[in-house]
């Protein structure tokens, strides 16, 4: 075999593989070009998730005949006048998006400059024709048909029409947030999906996209360090979602999906949100162009910062500060803080809890209780004003000879959620909600293995409003969900009627929230996961919603029964989200606490 130079078309197809990996990527490139051309109005029409047609029209600058002839060539760009990769002022700069798209699809461009004639050009599988006269208003329209027809291998990787459409919609949403003064329209198979008139400012655009819920449940972020600025909105911890999809991050106006930035958000919320839950944020980072390199990722989705540590600390501290400010201190007081503050009242040495305590010491706030906790966050500061209705219930509990069991014998239920049990050499504190969640989940799995999850019909079906795409997603899982005891039916456009729920769920289960979470989850997983894993995740979500919440009183018998069940149930040391279900304190640690040792 000899080394040979590859033909131009093949080179372009290989390069296209990196830049244009799915219809949403093509849409992104075309819309970015329209934005760079100074458009005030951008219309996007797609068919079959963008697989068969993507048409983007703008009222921007348009192109002359010469420019049009060059636009489809690789490395032809009007956006790097100074050959300076450190000073990038446009969304585009590589001059390869159109060449890449044209290498794998059928493309037609029609364009007209303000003072000039209209021209059009076509290209198919990388071979372009000559510009010819056309009739077109000022601006540009680019049609992309049969994406990947020229690269059948890539064509096979297309997901369902729905999934591709959702990715396109997400992409357009992100661009629309970054450019509030441009009007955006998106239709899918002729059906309107996004229709955003020009907004006055970012706030107006965010309100139009994210709606009132986000507006009412978010905190404004405004922080700066050196030449770096951070602005935008961050959702309250209670507004968590099952996916990271609702984290909108922008660097110098460019939507990014950057791991460093997502990691910062996660770190900032780690104390207040479980790691399977994701906050909603819309954050705009602005810094001098020379401080950030956008030329590291073929689709420009990731960026590199010159001073990543500075960016990181700015974001984390700004978010943490906001979380602690708005009166949410109570909701974010993590259990670790509580534990480490457990020290003698006279200011003696702090207890080295990490040594004696069980490895299950929680490091994260229990999100399951967050809603309740947040509502109590305005609790009076002053002890004297406090309502002294006892919330601890430590009445005499009959002694049972069960101390020899690993989780001991239940002695009290505190704050209607914590079971305190005495063991032979210490004490155990059980989070009854977390524990129950694990038990329900294991029972679900056992029922599944036998003959499907037992269901319980609802007297009146519960109607749950969803986004249309969520509704479709959920309905495509109808059969699987029915096997899991959750029977659903379409109810008009965008809503679902729940006919039955798994019998193991308590009748107080929040069906609305459950269905919403399931819809998010299914969307997140796409078609990538194995069916069994997917079903387990659904069961886990249902278990969480169906478990005894904190706040339910239990008698001694029930508590001891729970402890015994925990001992018998696999993995009962953690709830389905990886949070511990109990912590154990050895007597020796308690004695140290009191200086007895
Ligand atoms: N909608 C449009 N209106 C006006 N000019 C356009 C439009 N789309 C593309 N062009 C012209 O075609 C050129 C090539 O576009 P292309 O997207 O391939 O590269 P780019 O935007 O310069 O860089 P990148 O590959 O990073 O996107 C652009 O530099 C621009 O001059
Ligand atoms: Mg471009």
């Amino acid at each position: 075999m000899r080394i040979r130079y590859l033909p131009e078309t093949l080179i372009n197809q290989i390069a296209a593989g990196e830049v244009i990996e799915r219809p949403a990527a093509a849409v992104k490139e075309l819309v970015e070009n329209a934005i760079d051309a100074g458009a005030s109005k951008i219309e996007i029409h797609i068919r079959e998730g963008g697989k068969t047609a993507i048409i983007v029209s703008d009222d921007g600058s348009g192109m002359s005949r010469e420019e049009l002839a060059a636009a489809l060539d690789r490395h032809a760009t009007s956006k790097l006048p100074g050959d300076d990769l450190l000073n990038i002022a446009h969304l585009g700069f590589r001059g390869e998006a159109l060449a890449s798209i044209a290498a794998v699809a059928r493309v037609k461009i029609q364009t007209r400059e303000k003072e000039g004639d209209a021209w059009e050009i076509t290209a198919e599988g990388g071979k372009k024709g000559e510009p010819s006269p056309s009739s077109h208003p000022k601006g540009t329209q680019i049609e992309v048909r049969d994406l990947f027809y020229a690269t059948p291998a890539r064509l096979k990787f297309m997901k369902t029409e729905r999934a591709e459409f959702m990715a396109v919609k997400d992409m357009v949403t992100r661009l629309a947030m970054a450019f509030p003064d441009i009007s955006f329209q998106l239709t899918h198979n002729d059906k309107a999906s996004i229709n955003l008139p020009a907004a006055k400012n970012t706030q107006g655009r965010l309100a139009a996209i994210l709606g009132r819920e986000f507006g009412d449940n978010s905190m404004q972020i405004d922080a700066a360090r050196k030449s770096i600025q951070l602005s935008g909105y961050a959702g309250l911890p209670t507004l968590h979602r099952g996916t990271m999809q609702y984290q909108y991050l922008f660097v110098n106006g460019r939507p990014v999906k950057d791991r460093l930035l997502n990691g910062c958000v996660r770190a900032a919320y780690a104390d207040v949100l479980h790691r399977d839950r994701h906050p909603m944020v819309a954050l705009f980072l602005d810094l001098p162009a020379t401080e950030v390199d956008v030329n590291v990722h073929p689709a420009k989705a990731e960026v590199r910062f010159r001073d990543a540590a500075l960016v990181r600390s700015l974001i984390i501290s700004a978010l943490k500060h906001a979380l602690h400010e708005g009166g949410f201190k109570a909701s974010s007081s993590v259990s670790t803080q509580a534990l480490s503050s457990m020290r003698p009242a006279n200011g003696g040495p702090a207890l080295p809890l990490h040594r004696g305590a069980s490895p299950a010491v929680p490091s994260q706030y229990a999100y399951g209780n967050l809603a309740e906790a947040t509502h109590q966050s305005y609790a009076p500061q002053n002890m004297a004003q406090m309502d002294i209705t006892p919330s601890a219930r430590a009445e005499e509990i009959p002694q049972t000879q069960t101390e020899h069991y690993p989780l001991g014998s239940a002695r009290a239920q505190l704050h209607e959620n914590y079971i305190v049990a005495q063991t032979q050499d210490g004490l155990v504190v059980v989070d009854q909600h977390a524990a129950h969640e694990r038990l329900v989940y294991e029972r679900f799995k056992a029922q599944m293995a036998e003959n499907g999850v037992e269901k319980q019909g609802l007297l009146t079906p519960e109607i749950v409003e969803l986004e249309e795409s969520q509704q479709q997603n959920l309905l495509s899982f109808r059969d699987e969900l029915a096997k899991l005891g959750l029977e659903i039916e379409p109810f008009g456009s965008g809503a679902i009627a729940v006919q039955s729920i798994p019998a193991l769920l308590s009748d107080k289960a929040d069906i609305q929230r459950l269905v919403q979470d399931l819809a998010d989850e299914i969307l997140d997983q796409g078609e990538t996961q194995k069916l069994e894993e997917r079903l387990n995740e659904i069961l886990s979500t249902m278990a969480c919603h169906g478990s005894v919440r904190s706040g339910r009183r239990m008698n001694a018998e029930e508590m001891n029964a729970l402890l015994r069940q925990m001992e018998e149930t696999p993995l009962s040391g953690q709830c389905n989200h990886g949070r511990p279900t109990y912590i154990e304190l050895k007597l020796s640690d308690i004695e140290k606490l009191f200086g007895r040792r």
Side-chain angles (χ1 to χ4, degrees):
M1 271 189 279
R2 290 181 182 270
I3 295 182
R4 67 173 182 124
Y5 286 95
L6 297 175
E8 180 83 10
T9 344
L10 195 57
I11 294 174
N12 284 340
Q13 285 180 356
I14 292 170
E18 291 205 318
V19 185
I20 306 297
E21 101 237 46
R22 62 191 301 192
V27 170
K28 169 178 182 286
E29 294 298 338
L30 298 178
V31 173
E32 287 189 350
N33 281 347
I35 295 170
D36 283 344
S40 63
K41 183 167 187 243
I42 302 175
E43 274 178 41
I44 307 131
H45 303 281
I46 63 168
R47 300 205 155 270
E48 295 175 50
K51 293 192 245 187
T52 50
I54 298 168
I55 302 167
V56 176
S57 8
D58 65 64
D59 60 355
S61 63
M63 286 175 270
S64 66
R65 184 184 192 281
E66 294 67 42
E67 285 179 303
L68 180 61
L72 284 166
D73 291 339
R74 185 161 297 278
H75 311 308
T77 178
S78 57
K79 301 173 192 174
L80 268 187
D83 290 352
D84 184 0
L85 271 182
L86 275 178
N87 214 336
I88 288 167
H90 291 94
L91 293 167
F93 57 85
R94 295 179 172 183
E96 57 177 11
L98 288 183
S100 296
I101 296 174
V104 296
R106 299 181 226 275
V107 176
K108 177 177 176 185
I109 308 179
Q110 290 165 282
T111 186
R112 185 162 76 83
E113 285 186 304
K114 198 167 169 204
E115 315 286 336
D117 299 322
W119 295 95
E120 66 177 58
I121 196 169
T122 54
E124 209 161 292
K127 296 196 181 50
K128 64 169 186 167
E130 284 295 314
S132 62
S134 171
S135 71
H136 191 75
K138 186 209 156 202
T140 305
Q141 168 166 315
I142 305 189
E143 267 180 61
V144 176
R145 297 205 182 263
D146 307 324
L147 192 64
F148 302 128
Y149 89 96
T151 46
R154 180 53 68 87
L155 195 57
K156 285 202 196 106
F157 284 89
M158 288 296 94
K159 298 201 175 134
T160 60
E161 175 172 338
R162 252 306 113 201
E164 296 299 347
F165 164 57
M166 288 308 299
V168 169
K169 189 175 172 191
D170 180 60
M171 188 61 82
V172 176
T173 304
R174 286 169 195 271
L175 285 162
M177 284 183 178
F179 297 90
D181 51 345
I182 301 177
S183 102
F184 285 86
Q185 276 176 29
L186 169 67
T187 71
H188 182 219
N189 298 336
D190 298 323
K191 264 175 62 188
S193 162
I194 290 178
N195 190 355
L196 292 166
K200 272 206 213 87
N201 49 30
T202 304
Q203 201 181 352
R205 181 53 58 87
L206 289 178
I209 293 175
L210 296 173
R212 255 198 76 179
E213 196 194 11
F214 185 73
D216 289 348
N217 288 286
S218 58
M219 307 163 289
Q220 192 165 358
I221 305 292
D222 234 322
R225 232 181 254 182
K226 291 191 181 159
S227 54
I228 309 180
Q229 282 247 307
L230 180 73
S231 60
Y233 297 84
L236 296 180
T238 36
L239 194 68
H240 52 74
R241 309 301 293 263
T243 133
M244 276 205 299
Q245 208 198 320
Y246 303 95
Q247 293 180 3
Y248 302 97
L249 304 168
F250 305 85
V251 174
N252 287 349
R254 185 189 293 278
V256 295
K257 286 197 170 169
D258 187 81
R259 260 174 291 159
L260 173 94
L261 298 180
N262 285 122
C264 294
V265 174
R266 174 179 298 253
Y269 279 80
D271 286 355
V272 288
L273 212 52
H274 182 263
R275 74 186 125 72
D276 285 350
R277 307 300 303 179
H278 306 277
M280 286 175 77
V281 300
L283 294 175
F284 299 80
L285 196 66
D286 287 288
L287 65 177
T290 47
E291 289 293 310
V292 54
D293 188 355
V294 290
N295 188 22
V296 289
H297 186 270
K300 307 178 189 113
E302 297 210 348
V303 293
R304 290 278 180 286
F305 297 102
R306 201 143 97 175
D307 193 344
L310 181 66
V311 170
R312 216 182 129 79
S313 82
L314 169 65
I315 298 178
I316 297 181
S317 67
L319 289 177
K320 279 197 163 171
H321 181 74
L323 285 168
H324 284 266
E325 274 299 279
F328 299 98
K329 254 192 168 105
S331 70
S332 60
S333 60
V334 290
S335 17
T336 33
Q337 277 170 8
L339 282 174
S340 60
S341 65
M342 207 199 260
R343 63 180 71 189
N346 63 5
L351 174 73
L353 261 169
H354 49 278
R355 270 200 281 126
S358 101
V361 171
S363 63
Q364 251 132 357
Y365 196 79
Y367 93 83
N369 300 332
L370 202 55
E372 292 99 305
T374 316
H375 288 132
Q376 294 161 7
S377 63
Y378 300 100
Q381 303 292 313
N382 189 334
M383 285 290 277
Q385 302 169 359
M386 260 167 74
D387 176 1
I388 39 166
T389 336
S391 57
R393 200 176 59 96
E395 66 199 49
E396 273 303 305
I397 281 182
Q399 273 298 112
T400 46
Q401 294 307 311
T402 49
E403 272 173 33
H404 58 281
Y405 283 109
L407 293 180
S409 149
R411 303 305 293 269
Q413 184 194 29
L414 303 185
H415 295 286
E416 295 174 345
N417 186 47
Y418 297 103
I419 299 170
V420 181
Q422 179 171 333
T423 59
Q424 256 159 359
D425 58 354
L427 66 88
V428 161
V429 182
V430 175
D431 175 339
Q432 79 186 32
H433 171 65
H436 195 251
E437 193 180 313
R438 167 59 67 179
L439 297 180
V440 171
Y441 178 49
E442 293 298 333
R443 258 153 76 192
F444 269 143
K445 282 204 293 191
Q447 285 189 356
M448 258 319 268
E450 281 200 30
N451 42 18
V453 173
E454 252 177 71
K455 66 174 191 216
Q456 180 199 337
L458 298 178
L459 286 178
T460 42
E462 174 109 6
I463 309 300
V464 185
E465 299 277 347
L466 296 168
E467 268 188 50
E468 226 209 337
S469 51
Q470 290 180 311
Q471 179 208 36
Q472 293 303 328
N473 260 301
L474 214 52
L475 284 173
S476 62
F477 273 88
R478 208 166 149 179
D479 295 344
E480 279 98 325
L481 291 173
K483 276 187 218 125
L484 303 180
L486 189 76
E487 294 182 313
I488 54 169
E489 266 171 30
F491 191 79
S493 73
I496 268 175
V498 181
Q499 306 285 357
S500 79
I501 58 171
L504 278 177
L505 296 194
S506 80
D507 33 347
K508 283 200 215 81
D510 184 348
I511 299 176
Q512 298 277 341
R513 180 82 171 272
L514 168 67
V515 171
Q516 182 85 37
D517 281 3
L518 285 177
D520 279 345
E521 220 160 81
I522 285 171
L523 189 72
D524 224 18
Q525 294 161 7
E527 285 103 49
T528 51
Q529 248 184 347
K530 277 197 293 186
L531 185 65
E532 196 194 327
E533 276 170 30
R534 202 148 56 187
L535 293 185
N536 278 345
E537 288 218 24
I538 294 176
L539 286 178
S540 153
T541 305
M542 295 205 295
C544 172
H545 285 273
S547 311
V548 238
R549 292 271 151 188
S550 47
R552 189 157 97 54
R553 292 197 166 189
M554 293 172 102
N555 62 32
E557 222 176 282
E558 286 175 300
M559 288 193 280
N560 276 315
L562 184 71
L563 296 180
R564 302 292 81 82
Q565 274 179 38
M566 285 173 71
E567 286 156 1
E568 279 161 20
T569 304
L571 299 171
S572 65
Q574 297 125 45
C575 78
N576 316 336
H577 301 101
R579 280 187 282 118
T581 54
Y582 69 91
I583 55 171
E584 187 178 4
L585 292 177
K586 296 282 181 216
L587 215 46
S588 53
D589 281 320
I590 298 170
E591 283 168 348
K592 265 187 226 146
L593 187 66
F594 287 102
R596 279 166 163 265
R597 281 194 174 200

